[in-house]
Amino acid sequence: MVDLLLGLQWGDEGKGKIVDVLTKEYDIIARFQGGPNAGHTLEFDGIKHVLHTIPSGIFHKNAINIVGNGVVIDPVIFKRELDNLQKFNIDIISKLLISRKAHLILPTHRLLDAASEASKGKAKIGSTLKGIGPTYMDKTGRNGMRVGDLEFDDWKTKYRALADKHEAMIDFYNAEIEYNLPELEAEFCEGVETLKKLTFIDSEEYIFKAQAEGKKILAEGAQGSLLDIDFGTYPFVTSSNTTAAGACTGLGVAPNKIEKVLGIFKAYTTRVGSGPFPTELFDEDGATMGRVGNEFGATTGRPRRCGWLDLVALKYAVQINGVTELMMMKADVLSGFKTIKVCTAYDYKGEKIQHLPYNIESEYVSPIYTEMKGWAKDLTKLTTAEELPTALNDYITFLEEQLQVPIKIVSVGPDRLQTIRR
Ligand code: GDP
Ligand code: IMO
Ligand code: MG
């Protein structure tokens, strides 16, 4: 039995927190796509943890964590993540397993990412500069290096050939980026040595067996549906399938083995990086969401753009993923707004529409809002659904009716314990 947990917006919905909350109900937590562009935050016992590649179940003794074949790994960042975990006495060798088929991010992939972005000028994607795009390009171009390659003596020869090719490509961009490759390579080799100490597995085989034994598996998504390479706001997307189908290809899970699809969304919307965002606010309300929600990227520290909830886009994400249960995050951030707005339709070239059109740039699309009453109550100390203010319950009921999916969790703060089940 496999359940999926996915972000339904532009990422940073709070996936890390909810995976951590749910891990005690699962035997295996498996990341299926993305790489260190992700930043998943967990908070408990007064400590905040940010994970980039390592699944968010790592702090629980009961679960095995798998980095699946669909993930791209930067050994340098991976080593840093492991170093940060050292003080928590986690048995990494037996609790963290790495797919041999996961692709490696080389230092030159990062440089290519920077060169590509620099060459785009104003049209840049706003990538996290972690080398994600170039690494997935090498994967689909059939040039990539994989974790399994590191078990063979000739991996450095493969590495050299690929890095040399990348250097020529960097020259082609003619971008002014400065770098010291030998230094970056020394750091990379150090990361590889750390990575090689871990347990490499044929993860699809491991997952088949786990399923046969009746183990419960939770697939942890990264990014969000609107950043999906096929269904997101292309080209302002990431380079993997962040939607449900990505879990099939990123882990080797058959579609008919998927049970629940848990969709996570914020009670409002944020986006980091470039690209269209119909409900984006440039006023005091947007600034309040950013300030109260502490909306800064967990990976890059960039301020996140903020706006009202976009139900047109959320409905689209629910459909693409086949979401069976919803979880609404950061409800506490909306406390104090007199009026809450929800985008329920778009004005698209003068016509009112309720689906996501091909192009949602502000030139063509403007949001049509439904207004609801806000609530003043501080939610951060609440623990049961009965304590939620009426106006928030009305907001929740409205969303459930619109989306036709139950909202099972309402999150009211970053800590593990600030989680209300309904
Ligand atoms: P992820 O990438 O989906 O795991 O989300 P991030 O960790 O990048 O961003 C979510 C941010 O919101 C983190 O700083 C979390 O600690 C925080 N967070 C999660 N849930 C809540 C919530 O219900 N209320 C508040 N105020 N913060 C939350
Ligand atoms: P988590 O898992 C939010 C955004 C970047 C950029 C675009 C492409 O923490 O939700 P990339 O580096 O992937 O080539 O960048 O995608 N982006 C994210 N935004 N959360 C993330 O991950 C993101 N990962 C990538 O800001 O706009
Ligand atoms: Mg994040």
Side-chain angles (χ1 to χ4, degrees):
M1 196 277 293
V2 182
D3 291 342
L4 310 185
L5 183 142
L6 308 158
L8 301 182
Q9 295 161 317
W10 278 289
D12 303 330
E13 296 87 353
K15 299 174 290 293
K17 167 178 167 165
I18 294 297
V19 171
D20 173 59
V21 166
L22 298 180
T23 298
K24 54 182 182 303
E25 300 167 26
Y26 291 91
D27 302 299
I28 295 172
I29 308 296
R31 265 282 298 270
F32 60 87
Q33 46 69 234
N37 49 348
H40 294 180
T41 314
L42 289 65
E43 265 188 62
F44 54 88
D45 300 341
I47 308 177
K48 176 171 154 176
H49 308 269
V50 181
L51 297 167
H52 301 287
T53 327
I54 296 173
S56 303
I58 198 70
F59 294 100
H60 293 260
K61 286 208 160 56
N62 63 298
I64 297 288
N65 288 261
I66 299 179
V67 178
N69 57 279
V71 176
V72 291
I73 301 176
D74 184 335
V76 178
I77 296 176
F78 196 75
K79 177 178 182 313
R80 231 176 275 152
E81 282 189 75
L82 287 176
D83 289 347
N84 288 340
L85 289 182
Q86 243 172 17
K87 53 181 173 294
F88 299 101
N89 284 327
I90 299 165
D91 179 6
I92 290 294
I93 304 296
S94 65
K95 290 290 176 198
L96 181 60
L97 313 177
I98 317 289
S99 170
R100 289 195 173 89
K101 293 194 174 77
H103 277 247
L104 292 170
I105 302 176
L106 274 45
T108 42
H109 281 131
R110 266 186 274 136
L111 298 172
L112 274 171
D113 201 356
S116 164
E117 286 283 78
S119 74
K120 286 191 160 128
K122 274 196 176 141
K124 71 175 182 184
I125 308 296
S127 119
T128 59
L129 301 178
K130 304 294 175 199
I132 304 296
T135 306
Y136 279 112
M137 278 163 74
D138 270 338
K139 174 178 177 173
T140 51
R142 296 158 297 178
N143 299 309
M145 272 190 75
R146 302 191 287 179
V147 166
D149 291 333
L150 301 175
E151 293 178 314
F152 295 86
D153 292 336
D154 66 345
W155 76 264
K156 283 195 174 163
T157 315
K158 259 192 187 156
Y159 169 85
R160 189 74 274 141
L162 190 54
D164 285 351
K165 193 175 92 176
H166 289 161
E167 274 213 282
M169 289 163 71
I170 293 163
D171 286 346
F172 164 82
Y173 278 113
N174 219 357
E176 283 177 20
I177 54 162
E178 282 180 27
Y179 59 93
N180 179 334
L181 193 53
E183 227 170 70
L184 296 174
E185 288 181 335
E187 195 185 35
F188 177 77
C189 288
E190 212 185 310
V192 165
E193 288 317 310
T194 302
L195 187 58
K196 281 170 79 174
K197 290 188 189 134
L198 296 196
T199 314
F200 297 168
I201 58 166
D202 297 323
S203 55
E204 63 280 24
E205 195 61 38
Y206 187 95
I207 288 171
F208 297 153
K209 279 198 187 123
Q211 286 175 288
E213 289 163 10
K215 296 257 163 72
K216 286 188 76 181
I217 302 168
L218 180 66
E220 174 179 356
Q223 289 80 54
S225 297
L226 301 174
L227 289 170
D228 183 277
I229 183 73
D230 281 284
F231 299 108
T233 46
Y234 192 90
F236 302 101
V237 294
T238 191
S239 298
S240 62
N241 281 115
T242 59
T243 46
C248 298
T249 56
L251 290 174
V253 169
N256 61 347
K257 296 291 187 294
I258 296 170
E259 214 154 285
K260 292 186 202 160
V261 181
L262 313 176
I264 315 254
F265 70 101
K266 274 180 193 166
Y268 49 102
T269 312
T270 64
R271 170 163 210 174
V272 60
S274 333
F277 179 176
T279 62
E280 181 168 14
L281 292 169
F282 301 95
D283 60 5
E284 196 46 47
D285 285 346
T288 303
M289 289 171 189
R291 189 180 61 252
V292 180
N294 194 21
E295 295 294 357
F296 294 93
T299 294
T300 58
R302 292 177 292 178
R304 296 177 184 140
R305 302 153 63 192
C306 298
W308 296 115
L309 188 64
D310 184 342
L311 259 183
V312 180
L314 193 55
K315 216 178 258 180
Y316 177 77
V318 164
Q319 285 170 332
I320 290 277
N321 293 302
V323 172
T324 60
E325 288 179 20
L326 286 162
M327 321 213 147
M328 184 166 88
M329 311 300 289
K330 300 192 111 164
D332 55 301
V333 176
L334 292 187
S335 289
F337 280 95
K338 279 210 165 57
T339 305
I340 308 274
K341 292 188 189 177
V342 190
C343 167
T344 43
Y346 291 151
D347 178 329
Y348 178 67
K349 299 184 189 170
E351 189 193 342
K352 183 176 173 182
I353 61 165
Q354 278 172 317
H355 68 274
L356 208 72
Y358 180 72
N359 191 327
I360 61 163
E361 293 284 352
S362 56
E363 245 179 292
Y364 308 105
V365 161
S366 51
I368 299 173
Y369 289 113
T370 297
E371 294 195 0
M372 304 200 59
K373 222 172 130 213
W375 57 91
K377 190 170 180 174
D378 171 18
L379 309 178
T380 55
K381 305 215 166 41
L382 306 189
T383 50
T384 63
E386 288 69 41
E387 298 166 279
L388 297 177
T390 311
L392 173 55
N393 275 325
D394 292 346
Y395 188 56
I396 293 171
T397 308
F398 177 72
L399 300 182
E400 288 184 326
E401 277 168 11
Q402 291 284 317
L403 299 166
Q404 289 292 301
V405 182
I407 297 178
K408 293 283 203 180
I409 283 181
V410 178
S411 175
V412 292
D415 194 274
R416 229 185 225 175
L417 301 174
Q418 292 171 302
T419 309
I420 296 177
R421 306 233 184 198
R422 295 176 76 243

